Amino acid sequence: MANLFELQKKIAAVREQIETESKDLTDSKMVYEMRKVFLDKTGKVGQLMRYMKDVDPSQRAEFGKTVNELKNWALDYFGSLDEKMRKAELQRVYKSEQIDITMPAHTHVQGNLHPVTQVRNQLIDVFSGMGFEIYEGTEVENDYYNFTALNTPKDHPARDMQDTFYLSPEFVLRTQTSSAQIHVMENEKPPIKILSPGKVFRSDDDATHSPMFSQMEGLVVDKGITLGDLQGMLDVFVKKVFGQETRTRLRPSYFPFTEPSVEVDVSCFECGGTGCSFCKHTGWIEVLGAGIVNRKVLENCGIDPDVYSGLAFGIGIERVAMLKYGINNIKQLFESDLRVLNQINDR
Ligand code: PHE
């Protein structure tokens, strides 16, 4: 017969073993494995019952109760150990997945088009929507195309309006994209509807003028073209580029190649037309020159001015960009300072 006291020492030893060995457990999987070793059907706790047959019958109840107590204790013990491990595991996951939202983000530097190119594209977009086709002229131009055919013969006082870079007595760096009008009218018969963007050159240099800048010429020749057509088209253009609430105003002006000639103003988009320092308190800002193509110019190109009439306009692209993006010195458009250029991204 086994001594109950001895057996109870065995029971206590199993409990101690559980307590000691469980100290090395680090996760719930290990807890699960160890729990199996002690609490499975053939586990170390259950095995203790094998001693039952050796116990004096009068003490069997006592023995069974002690083993059961150990079993219940072990169930609780592994239960709470498992819970503790799972909590710790969850914390470890949280910690590893933690995102520090105060860290600076990874950004990708993305280039954008130059403001002048952006405005140029916007203008092409608007006018090609109205059926204009692009014709690109040349930057080096014959005196005839730049001036004479445009009703500005030698010694015409209007040549003073544009300080010209002469390459030779015959050739100039074109001072205006209007020269493209002549090339187109010489080569095509009406109806004509072209847009001619490009660089132009004038010996002129201050905050709003640069020796090189860009223009966008527009030319429409057909039967019955009037100033009304011009105003209608320009209205669409300014609303698209400067905003829906923008209005236009035509002011009489003078260009040798248009008659009548107009200067086109838009209502000031800073103050809405009430007057502010931006529009020099007039409520209006000048954006382009335009007019009805002079009969003499049509004649020069072999187009009968009694049958056809035309309208023409010339937009300064840098000027539009400066107005639109609040740039007060044209040099900022040519200095390639990324701090300036990065701020302008209209596409
Ligand atoms: N060529 C003129 C200029 O450069 C603008 C213009 C174009 C005016 C077409 C009338 C018609 O100032």
Side-chain angles (χ1 to χ4, degrees), residues 161-162 175-178 181 202 213 215 217-218 255 257-258 261-262 288-291 312-315:
M161 286 162 76
Q162 301 172 357
T175 60
Q176 49 189 353
T177 45
S178 299
Q181 290 184 31
R202 293 180 198 177
F213 60 105
Q215 285 188 333
E217 193 82 7
F255 299 101
F257 37 90
T258 47
S261 300
V262 293
L288 60 99
F313 55 86
I315 307 171

Side-chain angles (χ1 to χ4, degrees), residues 110-130:
Q110 209 185 10
N112 51 278
L113 297 176
H114 191 278
V116 171
T117 309
Q118 291 182 43
V119 169
R120 179 185 191 269
N121 290 349
Q122 287 161 17
L123 296 179
I124 290 175
D125 231 43
V126 174
F127 287 106
S128 56
M130 291 189 250

Side-chain angles (χ1 to χ4, degrees), residues 19 30 33 46 85 126 164 195 217 316 325 338:
E19 284 176 332
M30 290 171 85
E33 295 300 336
M85 291 298 176
V126 174
T164 313
L195 202 59
E217 193 82 7
Y325 303 120
L338 290 179

